[in-house]
Amino acid sequence: MEDKKLHVKFMRIAIKLAEKNVLNASGGPFGAVVVKEGKIIAKSANKVTTTNDPTAHAEVSAIRLACKKLKTFDLSGCVIYTSCEPCPMCLGAIYWAHLDKIYFANTKKDAADIDFDDQFIYEEIDLPMEKRKLPTIPLLRDEALKAFRMWQESGMKIEY
């Protein structure tokens, strides 16, 4: 049986990270906490504006810290608590990191209501490349396939 008090505790930490980020003008109003076996492995607020890194969302930053601490790219057995429903990039990172579960507070609609609207990304993903707003042009596929063949045949690859 899951311990609701612990879930609430970890979510409140994520929310406090978001609030502190706003108060300190350190980035967007987002916080995330990665937990394993009831213990905090990593936590981060959004760092986009302080690091000039558009990928430094709270979830991605917390995942990076957790991977570094645990010395692995596979966070199976971990859970993430995030102050807002993850954007498409963060959701992708959460899946790639193999986290077991996502708990979130604010919804993507709540984020859209304060001008953090990712709906256009969801819509763009569904469009064929030639209809996307950002020109997406295939180039040198035949040359690039060599690296894929090398990977497929390599006895030294580490699958992820």
Side-chain angles (χ1 to χ4, degrees), residues 38-120:
K39 294 186 173 128
I40 294 174
I41 302 303
K43 59 186 178 178
S44 184
N46 176 287
K47 298 177 179 182
V48 170
T49 58
T50 55
T51 62
N52 293 317
D53 179 354
T55 68
H57 289 200
E59 297 93 334
V60 171
S61 296
I63 287 169
R64 288 174 179 159
L65 291 168
C67 288
K68 186 173 183 177
K69 182 171 185 178
L70 295 175
K71 295 180 172 66
T72 183
F73 52 80
D74 185 342
L75 295 179
S76 296
C78 295
V79 174
I80 192 164
Y81 297 83
T82 177
S83 65
C84 186
E85 186 176 357
C87 74
M89 177 185 68
C90 292
L91 186 60
I94 290 165
Y95 274 98
W96 282 117
H98 303 288
L99 287 150
D100 290 358
K101 199 175 288 187
I102 305 165
Y103 290 90
F104 69 92
N106 291 317
T107 66
K108 62 184 175 184
K109 183 188 178 323
D110 296 330
D113 289 345
I114 61 163
D115 298 324
F116 286 97
D117 190 355
D118 297 318
Q119 186 59 37
F120 79 96

Side-chain angles (χ1 to χ4, degrees), residues 129-140:
M129 281 188 272
E130 63 275 4
K131 292 191 177 182
R132 293 180 184 165
K133 289 183 176 111
L134 182 64
T136 307
I137 303 142
L139 183 65
L140 298 178

